[in-house]
Structures are given as C-alpha cells and as structure tokens.
Amino acid sequence: MKKLFTVLVALLMVVSIFAAEKPFTLGPNVKYTGTVTFTLTADKDGVSFNGALSDDVSASLSLSPTSDTQAGATFEITYTSFSEATLTLSSITFSTPYFGAYYTTEKQFVNDYFTGRVYNSDGSKPDWNSEFKSGFADALKLTFPAVAGLEVYIEDNTTEITGTLDYANWFSDMLLVKYPVAPFTLVGGMYVAGGYYTVGANVFGTVDLGIFKPSVDVFAGMVDASSANPKTVYGVTVSGSLSPVAGLKLAPTLKYTDGIANLVYKSNNKTDDKFAQLGVTYTTTFAPVTVTA
C-alpha cells in the first residue's frame, strides 16, 4: 500500500508544479486583480491540498454577477456595497499534455456507494450524506489524455487521521478511480473511516440482449478489513422491461444485497434488500374504453 501512495504523492507533486501561482485580471465591467494558488503538502500525516486567493485581491464591479470564470479559476462573488465585491475561490482548472486537473472547494460526486447523496422520491438530490458532508471538504479530479475516460478522484478529509496504524497516517482521504469499459462503468476506491479502511468496487451499465436491455449494478467490498472480523459487502441488482407481445409489459427486478448499511458514505438509495419480482402490465382498448390490468 505504501508503494501505491508513493506513486500517488509523486504524481501530485507534479500536479502542484504545473498548478503554481496564476495571476488573473478581468474587465471591462468586472474588474479585479490578485493571485490564485494551488498547493499540495505531503508529510508524516498524509497528503493534503488546497486552493486559495492571495491577500492582494481587490474587486470593483459595475454589473452584478454572482460568479465568474477566468484564466482557469472560478469565483463566487458577494457584494459589500453597490460597487465593492468580495471574491471566494470555487475551483481551479489546469492542464498539461500529460494530464488535466480540476480542483474544487466543494465535494465531488462520483458514485452512490462512495460519495453519498440524499435522494428524494422524485429523484432530486437536496443534499449530501451527512457523514460525507461533514467528513470531507475540497476535492481534486485528474484526467489523462493518453487513457481516454480514466478519472482519478481524491476527496480531501476535513481532518487528517493520525491513528496508530501506519496506513491511517498515509490514507486519511478518499481515493476513487472511474473508468468506462463498454457497456459498463467501473468505479473502485478506498477510504479510512472509524480507524480502519473500506475498499470496494462498483460495476454498472446496461446490457443489450435484443428485446431485453437490463440495467445491471454490482458491488463488492470489505469494511474494517484490518479488524479481527472484517465485514463483507456485496450486492447485485438487475432490472429492466420488455414487451413480448403488443399491450403486455414485463418489468422484472432482481435484487440481492447484503452489508450495504456498513458503507459510511453511501447514498440513501443504496439499501439492503433481497427480492425478485415480476411487474406485469397489460393494456388493451375496447373502443371507447382502455383497460389496464
């Protein structure tokens, strides 16, 4: 594991070199000057990174936008008077011929098993999982032109974990890798929570079987893997619909998941269930009446 983080630290050191101080100016209606920086630190307590605005920032606006993007940086704008504004850094984007990077002061959503959201019944996402919301701050996303589709995410823990275990010192944050392998997308990752680490992988996608195109979602992982009683987490969900004859619609669903509740940062739409069901709908018309059973 230490070899993995040695490589990771080396990569991020290169990132920090390419993302050094970048001056910015805007005009004519939006005028502000200053410097935006991205820094990365590696020490005995692990890896930390952040972006910031320098103290020399000043702003004067004749219009009233609430955000703006310039020179690879995005800012939130609040007003102290009609023409005076305060800037807050939101994100920094930079790239090289070898990789691209996106730093944000917010958390990044990657996958429901890792970076949890709270979903309403209508599918809207009003907030983050409370544990994930309080446990993580800014985030860094890396992409690599040489490997199309590959994305590496680091969600920065709000506090470095300095436990007695060696890996806790070097792995306070959440590391995720996302990669498409048609027709599926693979997301794998690991993080430390409660003094021990969690590892897992999720494969999801849609399989074209001709008249039936089921959605497949498979997860496997392990929680507290260094304890005397590691907890396994696994699940398979298959769902879809087909119409073998006119008017008849079948919607089979198979779900078998166990241990999902042990995932600290999951979304609330990932639950433990064991069931198989076949939804059947038949619709026909006897003019002028339509009957659905």
Side-chain angles (χ1 to χ4, degrees):
M1 185 178 297
K2 284 192 174 182
K3 290 183 179 180
L4 166 64
F5 291 109
T6 299
V7 173
L8 178 62
V9 169
L11 171 62
L12 292 180
M13 287 302 183
V14 175
V15 171
S16 66
I17 292 172
F18 279 98
E21 295 186 356
K22 178 181 293 185
F24 59 91
T25 58
L26 287 180
N29 295 320
V30 181
K31 299 179 180 179
Y32 46 87
T33 61
T35 303
V36 60
T37 62
F38 177 88
T39 61
L40 182 145
T41 303
D43 58 23
K44 65 181 182 60
D45 293 329
V47 177
S48 296
F49 50 84
N50 62 72
L53 291 172
S54 62
D55 295 334
D56 62 345
V57 173
S58 63
S60 176
L61 295 91
S62 57
L63 297 179
S64 56
T66 57
S67 64
D68 197 87
T69 301
Q70 178 73 8
T74 301
F75 311 94
E76 297 298 326
I77 304 172
T78 56
Y79 295 88
T80 56
S81 66
F82 181 76
S83 61
E84 296 298 322
T86 299
L87 275 64
T88 304
L89 178 65
S90 294
S91 66
I92 302 173
T93 304
F94 53 95
S95 63
T96 78
Y98 310 104
F99 65 86
Y102 172 72
Y103 164 80
T104 174
T105 57
E106 300 293 331
K107 291 165 280 292
Q108 290 197 64
F109 176 80
V110 183
N111 183 270
D112 283 316
Y113 290 98
F114 296 96
T115 54
R117 301 301 301 259
V118 177
Y119 288 85
N120 287 327
S121 57
D122 61 0
S124 61
K125 304 179 286 294
D127 208 347
W128 296 101
N129 165 307
S130 60
E131 296 285 346
F132 185 65
K133 182 178 181 178
S134 62
F136 293 88
D138 43 4
L140 178 68
K141 173 185 176 182
L142 302 174
T143 56
F144 305 90
V147 186
L150 176 63
E151 299 174 351
V152 176
Y153 295 84
I154 303 175
E155 307 280 350
D156 195 13
N157 206 300
T158 53
T159 57
E160 297 296 336
I161 299 174
T162 55
T164 56
L165 302 175
D166 290 340
Y167 65 81
N169 289 334
W170 285 96
F171 196 70
S172 296
D173 307 319
M174 180 183 293
L175 173 65
L176 301 175
V177 177
K178 183 177 181 181
Y179 187 65
V181 182
F184 298 105
T185 297
L186 170 66
V187 177
M190 59 190 303
Y191 56 84
V192 172
Y196 298 103
Y197 64 85
T198 295
V199 298
N202 177 219
V203 178
F204 59 94
T206 301
V207 182
D208 190 349
L209 302 177
I211 63 171
F212 186 43
K213 298 180 180 180
S215 296
V216 180
D217 187 321
V218 179
F219 182 86
M222 184 171 291
V223 180
D224 294 340
S226 63
S227 68
N229 298 300
K231 303 171 184 177
T232 57
V233 181
Y234 56 89
V236 177
T237 303
V238 181
S239 61
S241 64
L242 68 157
S243 298
V245 297
L248 177 63
K249 180 179 179 180
L250 305 178
T253 299
L254 168 67
K255 186 173 183 180
Y256 193 96
T257 58
D258 188 68
I260 299 295
N262 293 315
L263 300 177
V264 179
Y265 304 121
K266 69 178 181 64
S267 297
N268 66 336
N269 64 351
K270 299 303 179 184
T271 57
D272 287 325
D273 292 295
K274 299 175 179 64
F275 67 84
Q277 66 182 26
L278 177 61
V280 180
T281 303
Y282 183 72
T283 302
T284 189
T285 299
F286 301 93
V289 179
T290 297
V291 178
T292 300

